[in-house]
mmCIF file of all heavy atoms in Angstrom:
data_model
loop_
_atom_site.group_PDB
_atom_site.id
_atom_site.type_symbol
_atom_site.label_atom_id
_atom_site.label_comp_id
_atom_site.label_asym_id
_atom_site.label_seq_id
_atom_site.Cartn_x
_atom_site.Cartn_y
_atom_site.Cartn_z
ATOM 1 N N ALA A 1 6.767 12.065 13.570
ATOM 2 C CA ALA A 1 5.748 11.211 14.182
ATOM 3 C C ALA A 1 5.469 11.596 15.626
ATOM 4 O O ALA A 1 4.269 11.619 16.111
ATOM 5 C CB ALA A 1 6.207 9.735 14.047
ATOM 6 N N GLU A 2 6.481 12.019 16.329
ATOM 7 C CA GLU A 2 6.347 12.387 17.753
ATOM 8 C C GLU A 2 5.636 13.685 17.852
ATOM 9 O O GLU A 2 4.681 13.867 18.622
ATOM 10 C CB GLU A 2 7.707 12.357 18.428
ATOM 11 C CG GLU A 2 7.604 12.739 19.949
ATOM 12 C CD GLU A 2 8.924 12.856 20.614
ATOM 13 O OE1 GLU A 2 9.879 12.674 19.947
ATOM 14 O OE2 GLU A 2 8.985 13.172 21.859
ATOM 15 N N ALA A 3 6.071 14.656 16.978
ATOM 16 C CA ALA A 3 5.472 15.931 17.103
ATOM 17 C C ALA A 3 4.081 16.077 16.852
ATOM 18 O O ALA A 3 3.339 16.830 17.244
ATOM 19 C CB ALA A 3 6.312 16.988 16.281
ATOM 20 N N TYR A 4 3.677 15.269 15.666
ATOM 21 C CA TYR A 4 2.302 15.402 15.213
ATOM 22 C C TYR A 4 1.439 14.144 15.643
ATOM 23 O O TYR A 4 0.434 13.981 15.032
ATOM 24 C CB TYR A 4 2.323 15.525 13.690
ATOM 25 C CG TYR A 4 2.800 16.951 13.317
ATOM 26 C CD1 TYR A 4 4.212 17.025 12.946
ATOM 27 C CD2 TYR A 4 1.989 18.032 13.326
ATOM 28 C CE1 TYR A 4 4.589 18.342 12.549
ATOM 29 C CE2 TYR A 4 2.500 19.229 12.965
ATOM 30 C CZ TYR A 4 3.807 19.462 12.602
ATOM 31 O OH TYR A 4 4.270 20.713 12.215
ATOM 32 N N GLU A 5 1.997 13.279 16.357
ATOM 33 C CA GLU A 5 1.268 12.031 16.927
ATOM 34 C C GLU A 5 0.806 11.244 15.719
ATOM 35 O O GLU A 5 -0.339 10.888 15.692
ATOM 36 C CB GLU A 5 0.091 12.547 17.821
ATOM 37 C CG GLU A 5 0.589 13.216 19.091
ATOM 38 C CD GLU A 5 -0.620 13.778 19.903
ATOM 39 O OE1 GLU A 5 -1.782 13.530 19.549
ATOM 40 O OE2 GLU A 5 -0.387 14.166 21.106
ATOM 41 N N LEU A 6 1.656 10.934 14.807
ATOM 42 C CA LEU A 6 1.345 10.030 13.661
ATOM 43 C C LEU A 6 1.591 8.665 13.928
ATOM 44 O O LEU A 6 2.520 8.344 14.708
ATOM 45 C CB LEU A 6 2.165 10.543 12.355
ATOM 46 C CG LEU A 6 2.037 12.079 11.929
ATOM 47 C CD1 LEU A 6 2.825 12.321 10.818
ATOM 48 C CD2 LEU A 6 0.572 12.331 11.792
ATOM 49 N N ASP A 7 0.831 7.808 13.335
ATOM 50 C CA ASP A 7 0.960 6.351 13.569
ATOM 51 C C ASP A 7 1.917 5.824 12.580
ATOM 52 O O ASP A 7 1.504 5.714 11.280
ATOM 53 C CB ASP A 7 -0.421 5.649 13.433
ATOM 54 C CG ASP A 7 -0.372 4.177 13.703
ATOM 55 O OD1 ASP A 7 0.738 3.658 14.029
ATOM 56 O OD2 ASP A 7 -1.333 3.462 13.544
ATOM 57 N N ARG A 8 3.147 5.464 12.858
ATOM 58 C CA ARG A 8 4.107 5.014 11.924
ATOM 59 C C ARG A 8 3.884 3.554 11.328
ATOM 60 O O ARG A 8 4.331 3.197 10.400
ATOM 61 C CB ARG A 8 5.486 5.050 12.483
ATOM 62 C CG ARG A 8 5.958 6.394 13.040
ATOM 63 C CD ARG A 8 7.397 6.409 13.487
ATOM 64 N NE ARG A 8 8.360 6.100 12.479
ATOM 65 C CZ ARG A 8 9.642 6.079 12.655
ATOM 66 N NH1 ARG A 8 10.198 6.197 13.849
ATOM 67 N NH2 ARG A 8 10.493 5.845 11.639
ATOM 68 N N SER A 9 3.035 2.854 11.984
ATOM 69 C CA SER A 9 2.698 1.441 11.598
ATOM 70 C C SER A 9 1.961 1.529 10.333
ATOM 71 O O SER A 9 1.958 0.504 9.639
ATOM 72 C CB SER A 9 1.933 0.776 12.609
ATOM 73 O OG SER A 9 0.576 1.384 12.856
ATOM 74 N N ILE A 10 1.294 2.620 9.935
ATOM 75 C CA ILE A 10 0.570 2.646 8.601
ATOM 76 C C ILE A 10 1.347 3.233 7.560
ATOM 77 O O ILE A 10 0.836 3.420 6.393
ATOM 78 C CB ILE A 10 -0.885 3.302 8.755
ATOM 79 C CG1 ILE A 10 -0.614 4.809 9.245
ATOM 80 C CG2 ILE A 10 -1.682 2.696 9.884
ATOM 81 C CD1 ILE A 10 -1.856 5.683 9.285
ATOM 82 N N TRP A 11 2.513 3.706 7.794
ATOM 83 C CA TRP A 11 3.320 4.243 6.749
ATOM 84 C C TRP A 11 3.848 3.108 5.812
ATOM 85 O O TRP A 11 4.091 1.942 6.365
ATOM 86 C CB TRP A 11 4.638 4.895 7.325
ATOM 87 C CG TRP A 11 4.294 6.159 8.120
ATOM 88 C CD1 TRP A 11 3.173 6.686 8.356
ATOM 89 C CD2 TRP A 11 5.275 7.082 8.733
ATOM 90 N NE1 TRP A 11 3.124 7.749 9.089
ATOM 91 C CE2 TRP A 11 4.484 8.183 9.421
ATOM 92 C CE3 TRP A 11 6.686 7.124 8.838
ATOM 93 C CZ2 TRP A 11 5.086 9.130 10.069
ATOM 94 C CZ3 TRP A 11 7.234 8.169 9.458
ATOM 95 C CH2 TRP A 11 6.535 9.158 10.148
ATOM 96 N N PRO A 12 3.936 3.352 4.612
ATOM 97 C CA PRO A 12 4.433 2.362 3.621
ATOM 98 C C PRO A 12 6.010 1.971 3.969
ATOM 99 O O PRO A 12 6.716 2.625 4.489
ATOM 100 C CB PRO A 12 4.435 3.084 2.290
ATOM 101 C CG PRO A 12 4.460 4.478 2.494
ATOM 102 C CD PRO A 12 3.776 4.643 3.849
ATOM 103 N N GLU A 13 6.117 0.626 3.798
ATOM 104 C CA GLU A 13 7.471 0.038 4.221
ATOM 105 C C GLU A 13 8.512 0.490 3.217
ATOM 106 O O GLU A 13 9.707 0.658 3.460
ATOM 107 C CB GLU A 13 7.436 -1.564 4.271
ATOM 108 C CG GLU A 13 6.560 -1.930 5.445
ATOM 109 C CD GLU A 13 6.567 -3.523 5.464
ATOM 110 O OE1 GLU A 13 7.248 -4.125 4.741
ATOM 111 O OE2 GLU A 13 5.752 -4.119 6.282
ATOM 112 N N HIS A 14 8.142 0.691 1.953
ATOM 113 C CA HIS A 14 9.153 0.930 0.879
ATOM 114 C C HIS A 14 8.935 2.205 0.087
ATOM 115 O O HIS A 14 7.837 2.716 0.100
ATOM 116 C CB HIS A 14 9.134 -0.368 -0.100
ATOM 117 C CG HIS A 14 9.172 -1.718 0.484
ATOM 118 N ND1 HIS A 14 10.480 -2.172 1.038
ATOM 119 C CD2 HIS A 14 8.265 -2.663 0.668
ATOM 120 C CE1 HIS A 14 10.220 -3.374 1.530
ATOM 121 N NE2 HIS A 14 9.027 -3.681 1.309
ATOM 122 N N TYR A 15 9.976 2.644 -0.520
ATOM 123 C CA TYR A 15 9.723 3.745 -1.422
ATOM 124 C C TYR A 15 9.338 3.264 -2.798
ATOM 125 O O TYR A 15 9.503 2.158 -3.155
ATOM 126 C CB TYR A 15 11.202 4.380 -1.608
ATOM 127 C CG TYR A 15 11.696 5.194 -0.470
ATOM 128 C CD1 TYR A 15 12.220 4.683 0.696
ATOM 129 C CD2 TYR A 15 11.678 6.608 -0.420
ATOM 130 C CE1 TYR A 15 12.539 5.362 1.766
ATOM 131 C CE2 TYR A 15 12.044 7.325 0.581
ATOM 132 C CZ TYR A 15 12.475 6.810 1.789
ATOM 133 O OH TYR A 15 12.909 7.586 2.820
ATOM 134 N N VAL A 16 8.655 4.265 -3.521
ATOM 135 C CA VAL A 16 8.296 3.936 -4.929
ATOM 136 C C VAL A 16 8.935 5.091 -5.862
ATOM 137 O O VAL A 16 9.106 6.135 -5.342
ATOM 138 C CB VAL A 16 6.742 3.899 -5.093
ATOM 139 C CG1 VAL A 16 6.265 2.712 -4.239
ATOM 140 C CG2 VAL A 16 6.121 5.119 -4.665
ATOM 141 N N PHE A 17 9.113 4.688 -7.119
ATOM 142 C CA PHE A 17 9.672 5.636 -7.990
ATOM 143 C C PHE A 17 8.539 6.712 -8.349
ATOM 144 O O PHE A 17 7.328 6.418 -8.376
ATOM 145 C CB PHE A 17 10.117 4.999 -9.257
ATOM 146 C CG PHE A 17 11.560 4.340 -9.135
ATOM 147 C CD1 PHE A 17 11.651 2.903 -9.551
ATOM 148 C CD2 PHE A 17 12.560 5.131 -8.766
ATOM 149 C CE1 PHE A 17 12.867 2.434 -9.454
ATOM 150 C CE2 PHE A 17 13.799 4.503 -8.606
ATOM 151 C CZ PHE A 17 13.958 3.153 -8.945
ATOM 152 N N ASN A 18 9.086 7.929 -8.666
ATOM 153 C CA ASN A 18 8.152 9.007 -9.175
ATOM 154 C C ASN A 18 8.920 9.694 -10.348
ATOM 155 O O ASN A 18 10.170 9.911 -10.199
ATOM 156 C CB ASN A 18 7.920 9.970 -8.015
ATOM 157 C CG ASN A 18 7.100 11.144 -8.536
ATOM 158 O OD1 ASN A 18 7.598 12.319 -8.607
ATOM 159 N ND2 ASN A 18 5.715 10.947 -8.627
ATOM 160 N N PHE A 19 8.120 10.026 -11.325
ATOM 161 C CA PHE A 19 8.745 10.518 -12.582
ATOM 162 C C PHE A 19 8.226 12.021 -12.923
ATOM 163 O O PHE A 19 8.267 12.376 -14.088
ATOM 164 C CB PHE A 19 8.507 9.650 -13.694
ATOM 165 C CG PHE A 19 9.082 8.208 -13.450
ATOM 166 C CD1 PHE A 19 8.211 7.279 -12.985
ATOM 167 C CD2 PHE A 19 10.378 7.862 -13.677
ATOM 168 C CE1 PHE A 19 8.612 6.062 -12.671
ATOM 169 C CE2 PHE A 19 10.805 6.557 -13.395
ATOM 170 C CZ PHE A 19 9.968 5.698 -12.924
ATOM 171 N N ALA A 20 7.777 12.751 -12.043
ATOM 172 C CA ALA A 20 7.246 14.055 -12.319
ATOM 173 C C ALA A 20 8.271 14.953 -12.819
ATOM 174 O O ALA A 20 9.370 15.125 -12.222
ATOM 175 C CB ALA A 20 6.575 14.619 -10.976
ATOM 176 N N GLY A 21 7.871 15.749 -13.908
ATOM 177 C CA GLY A 21 8.742 16.631 -14.569
ATOM 178 C C GLY A 21 10.018 16.096 -15.086
ATOM 179 O O GLY A 21 10.946 16.907 -15.423
ATOM 180 N N GLY A 22 9.985 14.853 -15.418
ATOM 181 C CA GLY A 22 11.277 14.255 -16.049
ATOM 182 C C GLY A 22 12.386 13.904 -15.078
ATOM 183 O O GLY A 22 13.427 13.411 -15.505
ATOM 184 N N ALA A 23 12.155 14.078 -13.838
ATOM 185 C CA ALA A 23 13.159 13.741 -12.808
ATOM 186 C C ALA A 23 12.776 12.530 -12.099
ATOM 187 O O ALA A 23 11.685 12.356 -11.658
ATOM 188 C CB ALA A 23 13.251 14.890 -11.684
ATOM 189 N N THR A 24 13.653 11.543 -12.107
ATOM 190 C CA THR A 24 13.383 10.206 -11.550
ATOM 191 C C THR A 24 13.914 10.335 -10.091
ATOM 192 O O THR A 24 15.038 10.357 -9.767
ATOM 193 C CB THR A 24 14.107 9.094 -12.306
ATOM 194 O OG1 THR A 24 13.665 9.148 -13.611
ATOM 195 C CG2 THR A 24 13.793 7.699 -11.657
ATOM 196 N N THR A 25 12.934 10.215 -9.097
ATOM 197 C CA THR A 25 13.307 10.067 -7.718
ATOM 198 C C THR A 25 12.488 8.994 -7.104
ATOM 199 O O THR A 25 11.788 8.395 -7.808
ATOM 200 C CB THR A 25 12.800 11.542 -7.035
ATOM 201 O OG1 THR A 25 11.353 11.581 -7.169
ATOM 202 C CG2 THR A 25 13.587 12.634 -7.670
ATOM 203 N N HIS A 26 12.645 8.812 -5.861
ATOM 204 C CA HIS A 26 11.702 7.922 -5.037
ATOM 205 C C HIS A 26 11.088 8.645 -3.801
ATOM 206 O O HIS A 26 11.740 9.464 -3.274
ATOM 207 C CB HIS A 26 12.349 6.504 -4.757
ATOM 208 C CG HIS A 26 13.702 6.652 -3.895
ATOM 209 N ND1 HIS A 26 14.327 5.546 -3.475
ATOM 210 C CD2 HIS A 26 14.351 7.833 -3.518
ATOM 211 C CE1 HIS A 26 15.420 5.847 -2.754
ATOM 212 N NE2 HIS A 26 15.475 7.212 -2.910
#
């Protein structure tokens, strides 16, 4: 966030599951 001057306030608060390629990650 510091290096690229990104606004962290608009980042999502939580993780979500992803199931691409049969691998369950968040």
Side-chain angles (χ1 to χ4, degrees):
E2 179 182 2
Y4 291 97
E5 299 180 351
L6 301 180
D7 183 4
R8 299 186 67 181
S9 66
I10 64 174
W11 293 4
E13 295 183 5
H14 306 290
Y15 285 75
V16 297
F17 281 128
N18 178 257
F19 304 93
T24 301
T25 61
H26 56 174

